[in-house]
Coordinates of all heavy atoms in Angstrom, one line a residue:
S4 N 30.7 2.7 54.6 CA 31.5 3.6 53.8 C 31.7 4.9 54.5 O 31.0 5.2 55.4 CB 30.8 3.8 52.4 OG 29.7 4.7 52.5
E5 N 32.6 5.7 53.9 CA 32.9 7.0 54.5 C 31.7 7.9 54.4 O 31.4 8.7 55.2 CB 34.1 7.6 53.8 CG 35.4 6.8 54.1 CD 36.5 7.3 53.2 OE1 36.3 8.1 52.3 OE2 37.6 6.8 53.5
F6 N 30.9 7.8 53.3 CA 29.8 8.6 53.1 C 28.7 8.3 54.1 O 28.1 9.2 54.7 CB 29.2 8.3 51.7 CG 28.0 9.1 51.4 CD1 28.1 10.5 51.0 CD2 26.7 8.6 51.4 CE1 26.9 11.2 50.7 CE2 25.6 9.3 51.2 CZ 25.7 10.6 50.8
E7 N 28.5 7.0 54.4 CA 27.5 6.7 55.5 C 28.0 7.2 56.9 O 27.1 7.6 57.7 CB 27.2 5.2 55.5 CG 26.5 4.8 54.2 CD 26.6 3.3 53.9 OE1 27.5 2.6 54.5 OE2 25.8 2.8 53.1
A8 N 29.3 7.1 57.1 CA 29.8 7.6 58.4 C 29.6 9.1 58.5 O 29.2 9.5 59.6 CB 31.3 7.2 58.5
A9 N 29.8 9.8 57.5 CA 29.5 11.3 57.5 C 28.1 11.6 57.7 O 27.7 12.5 58.5 CB 30.0 11.9 56.2
Q10 N 27.2 10.8 57.1 CA 25.7 11.0 57.3 C 25.3 10.9 58.7 O 24.4 11.6 59.2 CB 25.0 10.0 56.4 CG 24.7 10.5 55.0 CD 23.8 9.6 54.3 OE1 23.9 8.3 54.4 NE2 22.9 10.1 53.5
A11 N 25.9 9.9 59.4 CA 25.6 9.7 60.8 C 25.8 10.9 61.7 O 25.2 11.0 62.7 CB 26.3 8.5 61.3
H12 N 26.7 11.8 61.3 CA 27.1 12.9 62.1 C 26.3 14.2 61.7 O 26.5 15.2 62.4 CB 28.6 13.2 62.0 CG 29.4 12.1 62.6 ND1 29.5 11.9 63.9 CD2 30.2 11.2 62.0 CE1 30.2 10.9 64.2 NE2 30.7 10.4 63.0
L13 N 25.4 14.1 60.8 CA 24.6 15.3 60.4 C 23.5 15.6 61.4 O 22.9 14.7 61.9 CB 23.9 15.1 59.0 CG 24.8 15.1 57.8 CD1 24.0 14.7 56.6 CD2 25.5 16.4 57.6
V14 N 23.3 16.8 61.7 CA 22.2 17.2 62.6 C 21.0 17.3 61.7 O 21.1 17.5 60.5 CB 22.5 18.6 63.3 CG1 23.6 18.4 64.3 CG2 22.8 19.7 62.3
P15 N 19.8 17.2 62.3 CA 18.6 17.2 61.4 C 18.4 18.4 60.5 O 18.0 18.2 59.4 CB 17.4 17.1 62.5 CG 18.1 16.4 63.6 CD 19.5 16.9 63.7
A16 N 18.8 19.6 61.0 CA 18.7 20.8 60.1 C 19.5 20.6 58.8 O 19.2 21.0 57.8 CB 19.0 22.0 60.8
D17 N 20.7 20.0 59.0 CA 21.6 19.8 57.9 C 21.0 18.8 56.9 O 21.1 19.0 55.7 CB 23.0 19.3 58.3 CG 23.8 20.3 59.0 OD1 23.5 21.5 58.9 OD2 24.7 19.9 59.7
R18 N 20.3 17.8 57.4 CA 19.7 16.8 56.5 C 18.7 17.4 55.6 O 18.6 17.1 54.4 CB 19.1 15.7 57.3 CG 20.0 14.8 58.0 CD 19.3 13.6 58.7 NE 20.2 12.8 59.5 CZ 21.0 11.9 59.0 NH1 21.0 11.7 57.7 NH2 21.8 11.2 59.8
S19 N 17.9 18.3 56.1 CA 16.9 18.9 55.3 C 17.5 19.8 54.2 O 17.1 19.8 53.1 CB 16.0 19.8 56.2 OG 15.0 20.4 55.4
A20 N 18.5 20.6 54.6 CA 19.2 21.4 53.6 C 20.0 20.7 52.6 O 20.1 21.1 51.4 CB 20.2 22.4 54.4
L21 N 20.4 19.5 52.9 CA 21.2 18.7 52.0 C 20.4 17.6 51.2 O 20.9 16.7 50.5 CB 22.3 17.9 52.7 CG 23.4 18.9 53.3 CD1 24.3 18.1 54.2 CD2 24.1 19.6 52.2
L22 N 19.0 17.7 51.2 CA 18.2 16.8 50.5 C 18.5 16.7 49.0 O 18.7 15.6 48.5 CB 16.7 17.1 50.7 CG 15.7 16.2 50.0 CD1 15.9 14.7 50.5 CD2 14.3 16.7 50.2
P23 N 18.7 17.8 48.3 CA 19.0 17.6 46.9 C 20.4 16.9 46.7 O 20.5 16.0 45.8 CB 19.2 19.1 46.4 CG 18.3 19.9 47.3 CD 18.4 19.2 48.6
A24 N 21.3 17.1 47.5 CA 22.6 16.4 47.4 C 22.4 14.9 47.7 O 23.0 14.1 47.1 CB 23.6 17.0 48.4
E25 N 21.6 14.6 48.7 CA 21.3 13.2 49.0 C 20.6 12.5 47.9 O 21.0 11.4 47.5 CB 20.4 13.2 50.3 CG 19.8 11.8 50.6 CD 20.9 10.8 51.0 OE1 22.0 11.3 51.5 OE2 20.7 9.6 50.9
I26 N 19.7 13.2 47.2 CA 19.1 12.6 46.0 C 20.1 12.3 44.9 O 20.1 11.2 44.3 CB 17.9 13.5 45.5 CG1 16.8 13.5 46.6 CG2 17.4 13.0 44.2 CD1 15.7 14.5 46.3
M27 N 20.9 13.3 44.6 CA 21.9 13.1 43.6 C 22.9 12.0 44.0 O 23.3 11.2 43.2 CB 22.7 14.4 43.3 CG 21.9 15.4 42.6 SD 21.2 14.9 41.1 CE 22.6 14.5 40.1
G28 N 23.3 11.9 45.3 CA 24.1 10.8 45.7 C 23.5 9.5 45.5 O 24.2 8.5 45.1
Q29 N 22.2 9.4 45.7 CA 21.5 8.1 45.5 C 21.6 7.7 44.0 O 21.8 6.6 43.7 CB 20.0 8.2 45.9 CG 19.8 8.4 47.4 CD 20.0 7.1 48.1 OE1 20.0 6.0 47.6 NE2 20.3 7.2 49.4
F30 N 21.4 8.7 43.1 CA 21.5 8.5 41.7 C 22.9 8.0 41.3 O 23.0 7.0 40.6 CB 21.2 9.8 40.9 CG 19.8 10.2 40.9 CD1 19.4 11.4 40.3 CD2 18.8 9.6 41.6 CE1 18.1 11.9 40.3 CE2 17.5 10.0 41.6 CZ 17.1 11.2 40.9
Y31 N 23.9 8.7 41.8 CA 25.3 8.3 41.4 C 25.6 6.9 42.0 O 26.3 6.1 41.3 CB 26.3 9.3 41.9 CG 26.1 10.6 41.1 CD1 26.0 11.8 41.7 CD2 26.1 10.6 39.7 CE1 25.9 13.0 41.0 CE2 26.0 11.7 39.0 CZ 25.9 12.9 39.6 OH 25.8 14.1 38.8
R32 N 25.2 6.6 43.2 CA 25.5 5.3 43.8 C 24.8 4.2 42.9 O 25.4 3.1 42.7 CB 25.1 5.2 45.2 CG 26.1 5.8 46.2 CD 25.8 5.5 47.6 NE 24.6 6.1 48.1 CZ 24.5 7.4 48.5 NH1 25.5 8.2 48.4 NH2 23.4 7.9 48.9
R33 N 23.6 4.4 42.5 CA 22.9 3.4 41.7 C 23.5 3.3 40.3 O 23.7 2.1 39.8 CB 21.4 3.8 41.5 CG 20.6 2.9 40.6 CD 20.4 1.5 41.2 NE 19.8 1.5 42.5 CZ 18.4 1.4 42.7 NH1 17.6 1.3 41.7 NH2 17.9 1.5 43.9
L34 N 24.0 4.4 39.7 CA 24.7 4.3 38.4 C 26.0 3.5 38.6 O 26.3 2.7 37.8 CB 24.9 5.7 37.9 CG 23.8 6.4 37.2 CD1 24.1 7.8 36.9 CD2 23.4 5.6 35.9
L35 N 26.7 3.8 39.6 CA 28.0 3.1 39.9 C 27.7 1.6 40.1 O 28.5 0.8 39.5 CB 28.7 3.7 41.0 CG 30.1 3.0 41.4 CD1 31.0 3.1 40.2 CD2 30.7 3.7 42.6
S36 N 26.7 1.3 40.8 CA 26.3 -0.1 41.0 C 26.0 -0.8 39.7 O 26.5 -1.9 39.4 CB 25.1 -0.2 41.9 OG 24.7 -1.5 42.0
K37 N 25.3 -0.2 38.8 CA 24.9 -0.7 37.5 C 26.2 -0.9 36.6 O 26.4 -1.9 36.0 CB 24.0 0.2 36.7 CG 22.5 0.1 37.1 CD 21.7 0.9 36.1 CE 20.3 0.6 36.2 NZ 19.5 1.3 35.2
M38 N 27.0 0.1 36.6 CA 28.3 0.0 35.8 C 29.2 -1.1 36.3 O 29.7 -1.8 35.5 CB 29.0 1.3 35.8 CG 28.3 2.4 35.0 SD 29.3 3.9 34.8 CE 29.3 4.6 36.4
T39 N 29.3 -1.2 37.6 CA 30.1 -2.3 38.2 C 29.5 -3.7 37.8 O 30.3 -4.6 37.4 CB 30.1 -2.2 39.7 OG1 30.7 -0.9 40.1 CG2 31.0 -3.2 40.4
R40 N 28.2 -3.8 38.0 CA 27.6 -5.1 37.7 C 27.7 -5.5 36.2 O 27.9 -6.6 35.8 CB 26.1 -5.0 38.0 CG 25.3 -6.3 38.1 CD 23.9 -6.1 38.7 NE 23.1 -5.1 38.1 CZ 22.8 -3.9 38.7 NH1 23.2 -3.7 40.0 NH2 22.1 -3.0 38.1
E41 N 27.7 -4.5 35.3 CA 27.9 -4.7 33.9 C 29.3 -4.6 33.4 O 29.6 -4.6 32.2 CB 27.0 -3.7 33.1 CG 25.5 -3.9 33.4 CD 24.6 -2.8 32.8 OE1 25.1 -2.0 32.0 OE2 23.4 -2.8 33.1
R42 N 30.2 -4.5 34.3 CA 31.7 -4.5 34.0 C 32.1 -3.2 33.2 O 32.9 -3.3 32.3 CB 32.2 -5.7 33.3 CG 31.9 -7.0 34.2 CD 32.4 -8.2 33.5 NE 32.0 -9.4 34.1 CZ 32.7 -10.1 35.0 NH1 34.0 -9.8 35.2 NH2 32.3 -11.2 35.5
F43 N 31.5 -2.1 33.5 CA 31.9 -0.8 33.0 C 31.8 -0.7 31.5 O 32.9 -0.4 30.8 CB 33.2 -0.3 33.5 CG 33.2 -0.2 35.0 CD1 33.6 -1.2 35.8 CD2 32.8 1.0 35.5 CE1 33.6 -1.0 37.2 CE2 32.8 1.2 36.9 CZ 33.2 0.2 37.8
P44 N 30.7 -1.0 30.9 CA 30.6 -0.9 29.4 C 30.4 0.5 28.9 O 29.7 0.8 27.9 CB 29.3 -1.7 29.1 CG 28.4 -1.4 30.3 CD 29.4 -1.3 31.5
V45 N 31.1 1.5 29.5 CA 30.9 2.9 29.2 C 31.3 3.3 27.8 O 30.8 4.3 27.3 CB 31.5 3.8 30.2 CG1 30.9 3.6 31.6 CG2 33.0 3.6 30.3
L46 N 32.1 2.5 27.1 CA 32.5 2.9 25.8 C 31.5 2.3 24.7 O 31.5 2.8 23.6 CB 33.9 2.4 25.5 CG 35.0 3.0 26.3 CD1 36.4 2.3 26.0 CD2 35.1 4.5 26.1
N47 N 30.7 1.4 25.1 CA 29.8 0.7 24.2 C 28.4 1.2 24.3 O 27.6 1.1 23.4 CB 29.8 -0.8 24.4 CG 31.2 -1.4 24.3 OD1 32.0 -0.9 23.5 ND2 31.6 -2.4 25.0
K48 N 28.0 1.6 25.5 CA 26.6 2.0 25.7 C 26.5 3.0 26.9 O 27.4 3.1 27.7 CB 25.7 0.8 26.0 CG 25.8 0.2 27.3 CD 24.8 -0.9 27.5 CE 24.7 -1.3 29.0 NZ 23.6 -2.2 29.3
R49 N 25.4 3.7 26.9 CA 25.2 4.7 28.0 C 24.6 3.9 29.2 O 23.7 3.1 29.0 CB 24.2 5.8 27.6 CG 24.8 6.7 26.6 CD 23.9 7.8 26.2 NE 23.9 8.8 27.3 CZ 23.5 10.0 27.1 NH1 23.1 10.4 26.0 NH2 23.5 10.8 28.1
C50 N 25.0 4.3 30.4 CA 24.4 3.7 31.6 C 23.4 4.8 32.1 O 23.8 5.9 32.4 CB 25.5 3.4 32.6 SG 25.0 2.4 33.9
R51 N 22.2 4.4 32.2 CA 21.2 5.3 32.6 C 20.3 4.7 33.7 O 20.2 3.5 33.9 CB 20.2 5.7 31.4 CG 20.9 6.3 30.3 CD 19.9 6.5 29.2 NE 20.6 7.1 28.0 CZ 20.0 7.7 27.1 NH1 18.7 7.8 27.1 NH2 20.6 8.2 26.1
L52 N 19.6 5.6 34.4 CA 18.5 5.2 35.3 C 17.2 5.5 34.6 O 17.0 6.5 33.9 CB 18.6 6.1 36.6 CG 19.8 5.9 37.4 CD1 19.7 6.8 38.6 CD2 20.0 4.5 37.9
T53 N 16.2 4.6 34.8 CA 14.9 4.9 34.3 C 14.2 6.0 35.1 O 14.6 6.3 36.2 CB 14.0 3.6 34.3 OG1 13.8 3.2 35.7 CG2 14.7 2.4 33.6
R54 N 13.2 6.5 34.5 CA 12.4 7.5 35.3 C 11.9 6.9 36.6 O 11.8 7.6 37.6 CB 11.2 8.0 34.4 CG 11.7 9.0 33.4 CD 10.5 9.6 32.6 NE 11.0 10.5 31.7 CZ 10.5 10.7 30.5 NH1 9.4 10.0 30.1 NH2 11.0 11.5 29.6
F55 N 11.4 5.7 36.5 CA 10.9 5.0 37.7 C 12.0 4.9 38.8 O 11.8 5.1 40.0 CB 10.3 3.6 37.4 CG 9.8 2.9 38.6 CD1 8.6 3.2 39.2 CD2 10.6 1.9 39.2 CE1 8.2 2.6 40.3 CE2 10.2 1.3 40.3 CZ 9.0 1.6 40.9
E56 N 13.2 4.5 38.4 CA 14.3 4.4 39.3 C 14.6 5.7 40.0 O 14.8 5.8 41.2 CB 15.6 3.9 38.6 CG 15.6 2.4 38.3 CD 16.8 2.0 37.5 OE1 17.0 2.6 36.4 OE2 17.5 1.1 37.9
K57 N 14.7 6.8 39.1 CA 14.9 8.1 39.7 C 13.8 8.5 40.7 O 14.1 9.1 41.7 CB 15.0 9.1 38.5 CG 16.2 9.0 37.7 CD 16.1 10.0 36.5 CE 17.2 9.8 35.5 NZ 17.1 10.7 34.3
L58 N 12.6 8.3 40.3 CA 11.5 8.6 41.2 C 11.6 7.9 42.5 O 11.4 8.4 43.6 CB 10.1 8.4 40.5 CG 8.9 8.7 41.3 CD1 8.8 10.1 41.6 CD2 7.7 8.2 40.5
A59 N 11.8 6.6 42.4 CA 11.9 5.7 43.6 C 13.0 6.2 44.5 O 12.9 6.3 45.7 CB 12.1 4.3 43.2
L60 N 14.2 6.5 43.9 CA 15.3 6.9 44.7 C 15.1 8.3 45.4 O 15.4 8.5 46.5 CB 16.6 7.0 43.9 CG 17.2 5.6 43.4 CD1 18.2 5.9 42.3 CD2 17.7 4.9 44.6
A61 N 14.5 9.2 44.6 CA 14.1 10.5 45.2 C 13.1 10.4 46.3 O 13.3 11.0 47.4 CB 13.6 11.4 44.1
L62 N 12.1 9.6 46.1 CA 11.1 9.5 47.2 C 11.7 8.8 48.4 O 11.3 9.2 49.5 CB 9.9 8.6 46.6 CG 8.9 9.4 45.7 CD1 7.9 8.4 45.2 CD2 8.3 10.5 46.4
S63 N 12.5 7.8 48.2 CA 13.1 7.2 49.4 C 14.0 8.1 50.1 O 14.0 8.2 51.4 CB 13.9 5.9 49.0 OG 15.1 6.2 48.3
A64 N 14.7 9.0 49.5 CA 15.6 10.0 50.1 C 14.7 11.0 50.9 O 15.0 11.4 52.0 CB 16.5 10.7 49.1
I65 N 13.6 11.4 50.2 CA 12.7 12.4 50.9 C 12.1 11.8 52.1 O 12.1 12.4 53.2 CB 11.6 12.8 49.9 CG1 12.2 13.7 48.8 CG2 10.5 13.6 50.6 CD1 11.3 13.9 47.6
L66 N 11.6 10.6 52.0 CA 11.0 9.9 53.2 C 12.0 9.7 54.3 O 11.7 9.8 55.5 CB 10.3 8.6 52.7 CG 9.1 8.8 51.8 CD1 8.6 7.4 51.4 CD2 8.0 9.5 52.6
R67 N 13.2 9.2 53.9 CA 14.2 9.0 54.9 C 14.6 10.3 55.6 O 14.7 10.3 56.9 CB 15.5 8.4 54.3 CG 16.5 7.9 55.2 CD 17.6 7.1 54.6 NE 18.0 7.6 53.3 CZ 17.7 7.1 52.1 NH1 16.9 6.0 52.1 NH2 18.1 7.5 51.0
T68 N 14.7 11.4 54.9 CA 15.0 12.7 55.5 C 13.9 13.1 56.4 O 14.1 13.6 57.6 CB 15.2 13.8 54.4 OG1 16.4 13.3 53.6 CG2 15.5 15.1 55.0
R69 N 12.6 13.0 56.0 CA 11.5 13.4 56.8 C 11.4 12.5 58.1 O 11.1 13.0 59.1 CB 10.2 13.4 56.0 CG 10.2 14.4 54.9 CD 8.8 14.9 54.6 NE 8.7 15.7 53.5 CZ 8.9 17.0 53.5 NH1 9.1 17.6 54.7 NH2 8.8 17.8 52.5
W70 N 11.6 11.2 57.9 CA 11.6 10.3 59.0 C 12.6 10.7 60.1 O 12.4 10.7 61.3 CB 11.8 8.9 58.6 CG 11.8 7.9 59.7 CD1 12.9 7.4 60.3 CD2 10.7 7.3 60.3 NE1 12.6 6.5 61.3 CE2 11.2 6.5 61.3 CE3 9.3 7.5 60.2 CZ2 10.4 5.7 62.2 CZ3 8.5 6.7 61.0 CH2 9.0 5.9 62.0
T71 N 13.8 11.0 59.6 CA 14.9 11.4 60.5 C 14.6 12.7 61.2 O 14.8 12.8 62.4 CB 16.2 11.5 59.7 OG1 16.5 10.3 59.0 CG2 17.4 11.9 60.6
L72 N 14.0 13.6 60.5 CA 13.7 14.9 61.1 C 12.6 14.8 62.2 O 12.7 15.4 63.3 CB 13.2 15.9 60.1 CG 14.2 16.4 59.1 CD1 13.6 17.3 58.0 CD2 15.3 17.2 59.8
H73 N 11.6 13.9 62.0 CA 10.5 13.8 62.9 C 10.8 12.8 64.0 O 10.1 12.8 65.0 CB 9.2 13.4 62.2 CG 8.7 14.4 61.2 ND1 8.4 15.7 61.7 CD2 8.6 14.5 59.9 CE1 8.0 16.4 60.6 NE2 8.1 15.7 59.6
S74 N 11.8 11.9 63.8 CA 12.1 10.9 64.9 C 13.0 11.5 65.9 O 13.2 10.9 67.0 CB 12.6 9.7 64.3 OG 13.9 9.9 63.7
N75 N 13.7 12.6 65.6 CA 14.6 13.2 66.6 C 13.9 14.3 67.4 O 13.0 14.9 67.3 CB 15.8 13.9 65.9 CG 16.7 12.8 65.4 OD1 16.7 11.7 65.9 ND2 17.4 13.1 64.3

């Protein structure tokens, strides 16, 4: 995707500064995936992430950012 292509060009210092944006991006991608899978029932019910899903996505973004910073 275009988002992934843009991420490939970030320098490590940018990745650290953009961590909150990365976490929110993970949330929105997961929500979009859920809505797509459920055929966009947005008028009938709320599409939400559980606390566990949010925690798992945030931790994965944090670990991925730290791994990228330390591997370069």
